[in-house]
Amino acid sequence: MGIEALKTIGVLGAGQMGGGIAQVVAQGGRRVLLADLDLARAERGRDLVAKGLAKLVEKGKLDAPSRDAALARIVPVAGMEAFAEADFAIEAATENLELKRKLMRGLDQACREGVTIASNTSSISITLLAAETSRPQHVVGMHFMNPVPVMKLVEVVRHPGSDPAAVALAVALADKLGKTPIVVADAPGFASSRLGLALGLEAMRMVEQGVASAADIDTAMKLGYGHPMGPLELTDLVGLDVRLGIADYLTSAIGPAFAPPEILRAKVADGKLGKKSGEGFYTWTADGKKR
Ligand code: CAA
């Protein structure tokens, strides 16, 4: 199947990442089946996309008819059964190994033979996920970055059994979405999560040890290294729970260098998940501003 045949994309998971992926796919002119556990969640995902598109219209970066057309291309659906109509599927659920394994089995059942299934996992082995399906050669990683509409990178992950055509298709799709794809081997944390987390976890350990405040550590990386955002503010943006999930996985896959600091575990246990919960390493106002 070539890129021209990809008319309908199934996106499983209507949260921060799935919603962002749905937005860029719809803006790129393709139809999206946006699935979550139930219709209400899937509709909430589309509402979030509507807000994102409205902002672009406000800023004069998108006209109203294009906004309406993009939004109309997103069809919220309850569950992945509707993916029988999909020409390509992207799984963007919570970063949890057992959940993703289960969803891979479901997607394999739901999608037509020959359809490529991509996982937006930020760290989990694609080989492992592919092994849950009857089509491992058609399973790849497609790791988008947060916020999806803004960040240009997509890591396309190939595993030893990937069909080069499936990898090429994911690369072509990322390209069509205006992203810059890189192809990465199936190593734990791929390229971006492994490096990003190394910095994030060390910054947390430094807060724990009283080396400097979260704000000053972030300023060090912003002004000293030219990063657009410091590692702790970024952790708040991505979600402390998401980073903890990746750290636990990388600890088991690579070793203790990725062991999550106690401060991270404690904050997650307290429900301090970052921007989405109103508090992480910073506190956030309801309209998403850092206090
Ligand atoms: N959705 C859509 N657009 C957004 C956005 C969002 N969530 N957040 C910011 N933007 C847009 C803004 O509207 C603004 O657009 P204009 O230039 O058109 O006005 C632009 O992005 C810049 O935003 P701001 O001026 O508000 O602030 P900024 O210059 O600090 O940029 C940022 C914000 C783009 C998020 C920037 O700080 C940045 O690049 N941060 C680093 C992000 C990063 O490292 N992401 C990777 C996370 S790790 C990951 O995703 C892996 C994983 O699996 C966990």
Side-chain angles (χ1 to χ4, degrees), residues 6-11 18-33 49 70 73-74 88 90 142 144 148 173 176-177 179:
L6 304 190
K7 305 239 181 286
T8 298
I9 312 289
V11 177
I21 295 167
Q23 179 178 328
V24 294
V25 172
Q27 282 189 268
R30 289 179 169 76
R31 185 168 165 253
V32 180
L33 299 170
V49 175
R73 285 187 204 106
I74 302 178
F88 191 98
I90 304 175
M142 234 180 141
F144 291 79
V148 178
L173 179 59
K176 285 276 180 209
L177 301 179
K179 304 298 182 194

Side-chain angles (χ1 to χ4, degrees), residues 59 61 122 143 145-147 149-151 228-229 234 238 242 246:
K59 285 194 234 164
K61 297 199 164 186
S122 35
H143 181 207
M145 310 303 285
N146 193 349
V150 182
M151 304 311 284
M229 191 180 257
L234 180 59
V238 167
V242 175
I246 302 172

